[in-house]
Amino acid sequence: MLFRIKEHPVLEIPEVRKFNIFYNGEPLEAYEGETVAATLLAHGVKAFRRTERFHEPRGIFCGIGQCTDCIMEVDGKPNVRTCVTLVHPGMVVRTQEGCSGENEAKHDNL
Amino acid sequence: MITYDVVVVGAGPAGLSASIEAAKSGCSVLLLDENPRPGGQLYKQIHKFFGMKEHYAGSRGFEIADLLFARAGEAGVKVSLNTKVWGIFPDGSITASGPEGSIRYKASLIILATGASENALSFPGSTLPGIITAGAAQTFANVYHVLPGKEIVMVGSGNVGLIVSYQLMQAGADVKMIVEAMPEVSGYLVHAGKVRRMGVPILLSHTIVRAVGTDHLEAVDIAELDEKMQPVPGKTERVPCDTVCISVGFSPRLDLADVGKCRIVYEPVLGGMLPWHNENMQTSMDRILIAGDLSGVEEASTALDEGRMAGTYAAYKLGRMKKEEFETEKAAIMKRLDILRSGPFGSRRKEAKKSVWEDRNFGT
C-alpha cells in the first residue's frame, strides 16, 4: 500500500472495488481497473521475472506494452505483458523464470 | 472481407483527428488501436496544453482525448480497441487481431499513426528493476495513481523529463535531481523554471554512468562530463535512489510502415528512421499515408494537425472532397503547422521536415 497516491492536486482519486490477487502464493490487494504491474508496484514489488541464462532480475521499463520486459506467468500462462493486463479477483501471478513456462523446454545450452 | 474507405491505425491525437476529418467528408472509416482506451499517450497528460484553440489550449491531455473520441463517434468513425494490427498486404488488405479473433479488412487507403517509442539508455546496471522510462512513470502515477518509487533521479531535461518530474512531485515523490548530458536544458524554460522553483537541481553536463543494486535499483553513479562528453576523473557522485526515469528522446514506431513496404529515410532531428512522406502525409506507397510521431517525433499539437492533413488528403484522394476545398483546408493546416514549427526548437524541426518532403529520391 506504500506506493498508492492518496491525494493529488489535479487528479481525483476515485474509490474503486478492491479484491485480492495472488503473487507467488501471497494475497495482494488490487484495485479494479488497474494493471497487474500497477498492483505489484503499489506493493513495492520491483523484480517481475528472471532472465533465462544469467537469472538477472527484470521489471517494468516502458509501461505501455511495447518492450515486454515486465512479462510474468499469469493464471498459468507465461509471457503475459503485466503492464497492459488488467487484474481480476483471484488472479494468480508468478515470477517468471526464463522465457517460458515451467513445463516448456529450457535453453540452458545456449 | 469487410471493406472501408480508410483504415486508421493508432487512436492517439494524430489517428483520431485523421479519422474525424476523413469521416466528416463522407469516407467510411475504421480506427484500430491495441490499447483498451483511446487517446494514445494523451490520457496520461494531466498538464494544460498551450497554444491555439485548434490545439485545445487550456485543456489537459486526457480531456482532449475524451473530446476527440466523442467527435470521432459523432462523425461516424467505427472504433475497434484492444485490436493489434499485424499485417498490411499489397492488395490493400490489413489484418488485425482483437477480441473477436483475427480479422482481415480491405481498405482503399491506410493511415498509419502508430506514434513513437521512448529511447533506452545503456550503462552498467541499466536493466535493473527500478530503471524505467519517464513515460512509464507518468502512466503509473497519472493513470493508475501508483508511484513507481519514492526517490527519483530523472535522466534528460527535455520537456518530457521536466514535465514528468513536476508531475511525480505533484503525486508525492521526491525527485532528487535531473541530469542532462548537454551543457544546457533541452526543454522549454517555462517547464524548467517550474521544477527549479520546487527545489529540484538540474545538473547540466552530467550523466548516469552506473546503476547499482542486487534485486532492484539502490543507487546510481552520476558523473560530470567534459566538453567531449567524457566523464571527468574524480567527479562521480553516488546518489541513493529507488527509481531512475529515462527521458532521452523518442523514435518513430516504424514496424507497420516497414511491413507496408514504405521507404524509410533518416532524419536525426525528427527521431531517426521514419517513413518518407510529403506535405500531404503521403508515403512512397500509394495506399499508405502517415501522421503524428511516426512521421517525425514532435508534439501532440503537431500530431493533431498532421492527422487532420492526412484525413483531409485521404478524402480528397478518394474523390470525397473538391480540389478548392482541399487547397483551402490544407493552407489553413500548413499555416498552423508553420506556427508550431517556429522558434529555436520548432525551426529546426521545420527544416528537417522540409528536407524529408523534398527528398525526391524516395517520392512516388
Side-chain angles (χ1 to χ4, degrees):
Chain A
M1 297 300 284
L2 225 53
F3 294 91
R4 297 239 182 238
I5 299 164
K6 298 274 195 284
E7 280 175 9
H8 197 284
V10 177
L11 293 169
E12 210 178 296
I13 312 287
E15 267 299 311
V16 295
R17 187 162 80 102
K18 302 173 178 73
F19 48 75
N20 280 344
I21 65 165
F22 294 91
Y23 164 66
N24 291 340
E26 297 291 320
L28 286 189
E29 189 182 63
Y31 286 18
E32 185 164 45
E34 70 184 5
T35 59
V36 179
T39 307
L40 295 180
L41 284 187
H43 291 272
V45 176
K46 299 280 178 96
F48 285 21
R49 67 178 177 107
R50 291 189 175 271
T51 58
E52 183 90 25
R53 289 176 71 195
F54 301 113
H55 309 285
E56 291 172 350
R58 291 284 192 277
I60 288 294
F61 183 66
C62 82
I64 52 170
Q66 294 187 357
C67 78
T68 70
D69 226 14
C70 68
I71 54 173
M72 295 179 86
E73 214 180 287
V74 175
D75 290 333
K77 201 170 131 194
N79 302 324
V80 173
R81 293 176 298 169
T82 56
C83 70
V84 289
T85 304
L86 301 186
V87 288
H88 62 75
M91 183 182 245
V92 176
V93 179
R94 303 196 73 88
T95 303
Q96 181 164 323
E97 301 290 338
C99 49
S100 56
E102 234 172 276
N103 300 323
E104 289 175 50
K106 295 283 182 203
H107 303 285
D108 276 341
N109 57 342
L110 279 175
Chain B
M1 203 160 17
I2 310 163
T3 302
Y4 286 90
D5 290 329
V6 182
V7 171
V8 181
V9 185
L16 279 167
S17 26
S19 304
I20 295 167
E21 292 308 315
K24 266 176 22 191
S25 304
C27 299
S28 61
V29 180
L30 172 67
L31 172 59
L32 305 169
D33 195 289
E34 63 175 321
N35 295 294
R37 68 177 93 192
Q41 305 313 311
L42 279 175
Y43 70 85
K44 64 189 185 194
Q45 311 295 339
I46 61 168
H47 61 285
K48 286 182 179 166
F49 282 52
F50 39 68
M52 293 174 258
K53 68 174 189 321
E54 286 87 352
H55 306 128
Y56 307 101
S59 297
R60 302 181 193 276
F62 59 89
E63 296 165 343
I64 301 172
D66 290 346
L67 187 75
L68 289 172
F69 189 55
R71 292 217 175 136
E74 288 159 19
V77 175
K78 163 105 170 72
V79 185
S80 288
L81 298 170
N82 291 305
T83 303
K84 200 174 177 69
V85 173
W86 57 267
I88 294 174
F89 296 86
D91 66 349
S93 63
I94 180 164
T95 47
S97 65
E100 284 138 48
S102 227
I103 299 178
R104 187 166 192 169
Y105 301 99
K106 177 97 177 145
S108 303
L109 290 176
I110 295 168
I111 300 177
L112 297 178
T114 49
S117 297
E118 291 185 271
N119 293 336
L121 196 61
S122 189
F123 49 86
S126 62
T127 56
L128 274 171
I131 299 175
I132 63 178
T133 66
Q138 202 180 25
T139 302
F140 285 106
N142 294 352
V143 180
Y144 298 112
H145 312 131
V146 170
L147 279 176
K150 294 270 168 100
E151 295 186 304
I152 291 159
V153 171
M154 178 67 67
V155 180
S157 71
N159 285 328
V160 173
L162 297 170
I163 290 171
V164 174
S165 294
Y166 184 76
Q167 292 177 353
L168 287 169
M169 285 186 284
Q170 282 184 314
D174 174 19
V175 177
K176 301 186 97 171
M177 58 177 67
I178 299 172
V179 296
E180 169 59 60
M182 302 302 284
E184 56 199 44
V185 171
S186 315
Y188 295 143
L189 291 178
V190 55
H191 296 313
K194 267 176 118 174
V195 291
R196 277 186 171 134
R197 280 195 296 277
M198 294 194 54
V200 180
I202 302 177
L203 274 62
L204 302 173
S205 297
H206 280 72
T207 195
I208 180 169
V209 289
R210 176 180 297 275
V212 291
T214 44
D215 197 50
H216 54 82
L217 179 69
E218 287 160 29
V220 289
D221 289 348
I222 301 295
E224 190 179 325
L225 298 173
D226 62 20
E227 310 84 67
K228 291 175 182 156
M229 302 284 273
Q230 295 304 307
V232 180
K235 294 269 192 170
T236 299
E237 185 197 354
R238 180 151 293 189
V239 180
C241 60
D242 61 10
T243 306
V244 163
C245 294
I246 306 282
S247 170
V248 293
F250 295 79
S251 303
R253 217 174 156 197
L254 282 178
D255 326 37
L256 281 174
D258 210 20
V259 164
K261 297 201 165 31
C262 297
R263 299 256 191 185
I264 306 296
V265 294
Y266 181 70
E267 180 44 72
V269 171
L270 296 170
M273 309 293 264
L274 52 101
W276 177 86
H277 59 283
N278 64 17
E279 285 173 25
N280 296 333
M281 310 313 294
Q282 171 70 56
T283 68
S284 63
M285 297 300 283
D286 191 41
R287 287 176 192 277
I288 304 178
L289 315 185
I290 54 173
D293 277 353
L294 169 65
S295 69
V297 176
E298 296 189 83
E299 292 168 349
S301 352
T302 16
L304 285 167
D305 267 329
E306 280 195 339
R308 290 178 185 131
M309 187 70 242
T312 307
Y313 183 61
Y316 169 62
K317 202 170 160 157
L318 293 172
R320 304 296 165 85
M321 189 183 266
K322 292 204 178 73
K323 191 169 195 320
E324 308 80 71
E325 200 188 336
F326 168 67
E327 295 295 350
T328 311
E329 192 56 38
K330 177 176 172 177
I333 295 171
M334 293 311 287
K335 194 175 161 193
R336 288 198 298 269
L337 282 170
D338 267 356
I339 295 169
L340 291 171
R341 292 176 184 139
S342 59
F345 295 103
S347 55
R348 284 182 67 214
R349 290 189 274 114
K350 186 176 175 179
E351 288 310 309
K353 269 283 182 184
K354 269 179 140 173
S355 89
V356 172
W357 296 340
E358 285 160 13
D359 185 350
R360 294 299 168 201
N361 293 330
F362 292 108
T364 44

